[in-house]
Amino acid sequence: MKYLRRAISRVTEDRQPFAVWNFFFLLEISLYLLGAMRLDLFWNLLFLFFILLPSPQTFTRYLSLRIGRFGVTLLLAMLLLWNQTWLPTPAQVYHLLELYGLPSSDYMLTFLKGMFTMSTLFTLFVLAAISFVLSKKRIVSIAVLPLALVVAPYISAQLVDPDESYSLVGISTAEAAEMAPARYLDAFYAAESERKTVFNTPAPGQEPFDIVVLHLCSLSWDDMKEIGLSYDSPFFSQFDYLFTNFNSATGYSTPAVRRLLQANCGQRSHKEVHDENPPEACLLFNGLDSAGYKTFVGMSHDGAYGNFLHTIKNLTPDDAVLLPLKGLEQQAIFFDGKVALFNDYDVLQKWSKARESSPAERAALYYNSVLLHAGIRWVGEKKSRNDRSQYIDVTTALLEDIQAFIDSLKSSKRNTIVVFVPEHGRALVGSPFQPADVRDIPLPKITKVPLGVMLIGPKVNGRELRQNIVSKPTSYFAISWLLSRYLENSPFGNKAPSADALAFQIPRTEFVAEHEGRVIMEIDGKFMFRDTNGEWSTLSAKQLQ
């Protein structure tokens, strides 16, 4: 007892800033209870033990040594906190910066400003006040903090709705239950690997048509809801098919482009779609090329950022025609503060002119726009606005340009199938689980995007539209499947296929989304999450918000 009292005396007399460490652990516990991070009990208790180790007498005499120890301890605290969050690892952040470069300072300031809301600041103030009070009684801190760390997981378990727990029939042990999602994921990819779409050359006499694929950054159903835009708005109600449960399977542009351009195969893993030598059979536009289509590529940007153009060229036919941007007036500036963005309608008109001069009987366009990306600012706008008003501005402008292009296609009297498909959502609204504008965890609110397919041509323009709503879970394979059916039997011919029958036959793809080792999948209405450590957990309703 004498030695224990002496040790406690040494700890309580040590000159460490206990208020800081009280704040750190209380912040960790708060974030854990909110679902914003996991809590590694072993490492936290070990770190707490390290903090409570009394400093040698030499340290107490010299300010520089005390500051040094505090600096080392603070660094360890930051690494511990980061490792428990769902954020990308430092190595992944470095890789992204190396690949894409730094965003503009203006965008970064706007992003950070959006994270620190009044409610967040108030919570931090309350935690700081509690930490300060506890620091006055260090012996209380020493007793309370370990207890709080141990009790926090129990409290968290009580906050979870019992209906949100995950179970699988036939699984009895905890270890087997933990492995069940991994087995499901393996089975999913195995089944998807068997799916292939083949584009056959249209039979003689089939009414020809062009294919226009509009691939647009940052628009999900969740984003639309936030700005008051719904599926029955004039723009979306004009599509012959509207997919309300389409999964883009990723939260970032480059993997979205790779997935779309490899849509002839069933859904593949993140690693597989990033293979620089993908199977020829998977390539959407190469398949169309073999069926007699001339490929064109257009973008509202130069494609240099993130080697975007290189990715597209690698996944489209070698003789694909790139629409030039020369002569166009710049409309906006990308979030890096450097890349010029051009008006979507102006670029799409380049396609119209190129199509008029092309002798090809059938042509296909892949078009990409990044106007809706966070941090975009108009030319002449001094600062970026990372908020709803900015998003409403750019969404309105984009949809007006797309509508003008659709109207011009109708006036051209040429048969065209338009596929409108966003890459992913904007993540306009964040949560404790993942901040706004961060999409490393491919949550369904980010990957569920509106897919529309529209028929344009002299025989169909004036008809009364009976829209088919496709609510079954689907992904990119549904696009190539539908186009292949249209190649077999043109929707503009005298014996056009039944739209209702096609909608019924469109293949399902169960919900699985993946990015850099993070996987979200849906099983029996429950969403499972695999983190970068390979650990599975069930997402709560709060985490899915």
Side-chain angles (χ1 to χ4, degrees):
M1 290 299 294
K2 180 175 66 174
Y3 294 107
L4 177 62
R5 285 195 299 270
R6 185 181 300 172
I8 294 174
S9 176
R10 283 286 306 280
V11 169
T12 55
E13 291 174 4
D14 198 2
R15 299 184 182 181
Q16 284 211 65
F18 264 66
V20 173
W21 306 126
N22 288 337
F23 178 80
F24 172 78
F25 285 110
L26 290 177
L27 177 63
E28 272 199 327
I29 292 169
S30 300
L31 292 173
Y32 172 71
L33 294 177
L34 287 171
M37 56 174 274
R38 51 186 175 267
L39 191 65
D40 193 314
L41 187 60
F42 171 77
W43 286 107
N44 274 280
L45 290 176
L46 186 63
F47 180 63
L48 180 59
F49 176 75
F50 173 74
I51 291 172
L52 294 177
L53 281 177
S55 300
Q57 292 292 339
T58 307
F59 277 62
T60 61
R61 294 196 193 106
Y62 298 101
L63 177 62
S64 58
L65 293 178
R66 295 202 304 273
I67 293 176
R69 172 175 175 171
F70 175 73
V72 170
T73 310
L74 187 62
L75 176 61
L76 292 174
M78 293 301 100
L79 290 174
L80 176 60
L81 180 64
W82 190 306
N83 184 61
Q84 294 172 115
T85 67
W86 315 115
L87 296 171
T89 64
Q92 290 172 333
V93 171
Y94 176 78
H95 173 70
L96 289 173
L97 293 177
E98 188 178 40
L99 183 63
Y100 297 112
L102 282 169
S104 67
S105 57
D106 179 50
Y107 169 76
M108 291 301 298
L109 288 172
T110 306
F111 173 76
L112 292 173
K113 180 182 176 182
M115 291 187 64
F116 290 96
T117 62
M118 289 303 297
S119 60
T120 302
L121 293 174
F122 177 74
T123 301
L124 293 175
F125 173 79
V126 171
L127 292 178
I130 295 173
S131 303
F132 179 77
V133 172
L134 286 176
S135 68
K136 297 298 183 182
K137 298 290 185 180
R138 295 190 180 187
I139 192 64
V140 175
S141 297
I142 295 170
V144 169
L145 288 178
L147 180 63
L149 289 169
V150 172
V151 171
Y154 173 78
I155 297 175
S156 178
Q158 302 306 307
L159 295 176
V160 175
D161 189 330
D163 293 336
E164 292 177 353
S165 60
Y166 171 71
S167 62
L168 198 65
V169 176
I171 302 296
S172 55
T173 67
E175 181 178 356
E178 184 178 328
M179 291 300 294
R183 290 202 300 268
Y184 178 95
L185 184 63
D186 290 342
F188 169 82
Y189 281 132
E192 289 293 305
S193 68
E194 301 295 323
R195 301 171 110 178
K196 295 287 189 299
T197 296
V198 177
F199 290 114
N200 296 315
T201 303
Q206 286 279 8
E207 192 74 22
F209 56 87
D210 292 342
I211 297 172
V212 173
V213 178
L214 304 175
H215 206 195
L216 315 165
C217 178
S218 301
L219 182 69
S220 69
W221 289 111
D222 189 76
D223 298 324
M224 289 170 54
K225 181 182 70 175
E226 289 298 325
I227 62 173
L229 188 63
S230 65
Y231 73 91
D232 58 356
S233 67
F235 181 83
F236 288 100
S237 61
Q238 65 184 321
F239 288 94
D240 291 81
Y241 297 88
L242 187 63
F243 294 67
T244 58
N245 200 8
F246 181 86
N247 173 30
S248 68
T250 181
Y252 282 93
S253 296
T254 299
V257 171
R258 289 181 174 276
R259 289 189 178 279
L260 174 61
L261 296 183
Q262 298 180 59
N264 287 359
C265 290
Q267 186 166 329
R268 302 163 72 220
S269 69
H270 181 85
K271 181 180 179 181
E272 288 176 319
V273 296
H274 280 76
D275 186 350
E276 286 300 311
N277 297 297
E280 181 75 15
C282 293
L283 303 183
L284 174 63
F285 282 84
N286 290 46
L288 290 172
D289 179 72
S290 67
Y293 275 81
K294 178 63 179 177
T295 301
F296 293 79
V297 173
M299 297 178 291
S300 65
H301 50 98
D302 62 11
Y305 186 86
N307 291 324
F308 212 71
L309 181 57
H310 169 77
T311 298
I312 294 173
K313 283 185 174 181
N314 191 46
L315 299 173
T316 51
D318 293 336
D319 63 349
V321 177
L322 178 64
L323 301 178
L325 298 173
K326 186 178 180 180
L328 297 182
E329 184 178 349
Q330 182 179 349
Q331 180 189 38
I333 304 170
F334 201 41
F335 85 116
D336 65 348
K338 301 174 184 178
V339 173
L341 304 184
F342 299 91
N343 181 275
D344 290 289
Y345 179 74
D346 291 346
V347 183
L348 288 167
Q349 284 302 98
K350 291 268 188 178
W351 145 259
S352 298
K353 293 178 181 178
R355 182 66 186 102
E356 288 174 5
S357 61
S358 172
E361 184 180 28
R362 295 175 173 85
L365 168 68
Y366 170 79
Y367 179 75
N368 183 269
S369 173
V370 295
L371 184 66
L372 304 189
H373 195 288
I376 297 297
R377 57 187 172 93
W378 303 118
V379 170
E381 192 174 22
K382 294 182 179 180
K383 294 183 178 180
S384 61
R385 293 175 290 128
N386 201 21
D387 55 17
R388 282 180 177 81
S389 65
Q390 183 267 354
Y391 190 67
I392 291 172
D393 284 350
V394 293
T395 303
T396 301
L398 175 67
L399 296 185
E400 287 178 350
D401 285 341
I402 298 299
Q403 185 62 61
F405 174 63
I406 289 172
D407 293 340
S408 70
L409 289 176
K410 291 179 178 178
S411 64
S412 73
K413 308 299 182 183
R414 184 179 292 111
N415 293 329
T416 307
I417 294 179
V418 175
V419 179
F420 176 97
V421 52
E423 299 170 351
H424 52 75
R426 163 83 172 256
L428 190 62
V429 177
S431 69
F433 191 53
Q434 184 167 243
D437 293 333
V438 178
R439 304 182 304 278
D440 293 84
I441 302 174
L443 294 167
K445 62 180 285 186
I446 296 171
T447 69
K448 289 193 175 185
V449 299
L451 166 64
V453 178
M454 180 186 299
L455 306 181
I456 296 174
K459 291 184 179 180
V460 298
N461 288 344
R463 78 195 189 290
E464 183 178 352
L465 176 64
R466 183 176 177 272
Q467 187 178 66
N468 276 280
I469 300 293
V470 182
S471 58
K472 70 180 77 173
T474 55
S475 196
Y476 300 99
F477 188 72
I479 297 175
S480 67
W481 183 91
L482 187 58
L483 293 178
S484 71
R485 294 301 181 270
Y486 281 147
L487 283 180
E488 291 176 2
N489 190 358
S490 174
F492 304 100
N494 295 325
K495 296 181 179 180
S498 165
D500 291 342
L502 284 178
F504 180 78
Q505 296 169 28
I506 287 170
R508 294 170 60 98
T509 300
E510 301 305 325
F511 186 94
V512 173
E514 182 180 4
H515 180 73
E516 297 286 356
R518 300 170 182 83
V519 176
I520 303 284
M521 66 184 186
E522 184 178 11
I523 304 177
D524 294 332
K526 310 298 181 186
F527 287 93
M528 305 294 296
F529 172 51
R530 188 189 73 186
D531 60 26
T532 53
N533 295 323
E535 297 177 3
W536 289 94
S537 60
T538 305
L539 294 181
S540 66
K542 186 185 299 181
Q543 290 174 315
L544 290 167
Q545 289 177 348

